Amino acid sequence: MASASKVKKTVRIASGRKRVRQDIKLNAANSALRSKFRTAIKSVLKAVKAGDKTQASEAFKAAQSVIDSIADKGIFHKNKAARHKSRLAAKVKALATAA
């Protein structure tokens, strides 16, 4: 087998063309939300690593709403969202009790 490159077929049915247009927009929106999710988590982890309790708790509050909104939209499963929130909360709590 030489190269197995994917060849995209053009859709001929009007509803299929519309679906392709919608998928492009949806993919862009979902990618932006996933990026926002990662950024929110990184901001909490950065504050925890720096040892800043107030900054970590504020970032965690912001991250919670981002994580919940992504779970509500179905981009991530609700259990994945709960797992991330739980782990972040544990790190923030450990930071608060350590000092």
Side-chain angles (χ1 to χ4, degrees):
M1 297 228 155
S3 65
S5 63
K6 288 187 177 181
V7 178
K8 288 208 170 204
K9 294 183 180 181
T10 54
V11 181
R12 292 169 189 250
I13 298 169
S15 61
R17 287 196 301 262
K18 180 179 179 181
R19 187 75 236 172
V20 169
R21 286 195 309 270
Q22 289 174 331
D23 286 343
I24 290 169
K25 290 178 186 176
L26 256 175
N27 189 13
N30 289 347
S31 296
L33 286 171
R34 274 193 296 276
S35 175
K36 190 174 182 181
F37 168 81
R38 290 189 204 108
T39 304
I41 288 182
K42 284 178 189 175
S43 67
V44 175
L45 293 177
K46 186 191 284 187
V48 168
K49 190 173 184 180
D52 191 355
K53 289 184 282 189
T54 57
Q55 182 72 24
S57 62
E58 288 175 15
F60 178 65
K61 283 181 186 175
Q64 271 184 313
S65 67
V66 170
I67 293 169
D68 285 335
S69 71
I70 285 183
D72 289 341
K73 290 181 172 118
I75 296 171
F76 289 155
H77 193 273
K78 61 186 173 97
N79 291 356
K80 177 176 179 164
R83 181 177 67 241
H84 280 283
K85 287 196 305 186
S86 174
R87 289 180 182 171
L88 288 175
K91 288 181 182 185
V92 171
K93 186 177 180 182
L95 181 66
T97 59

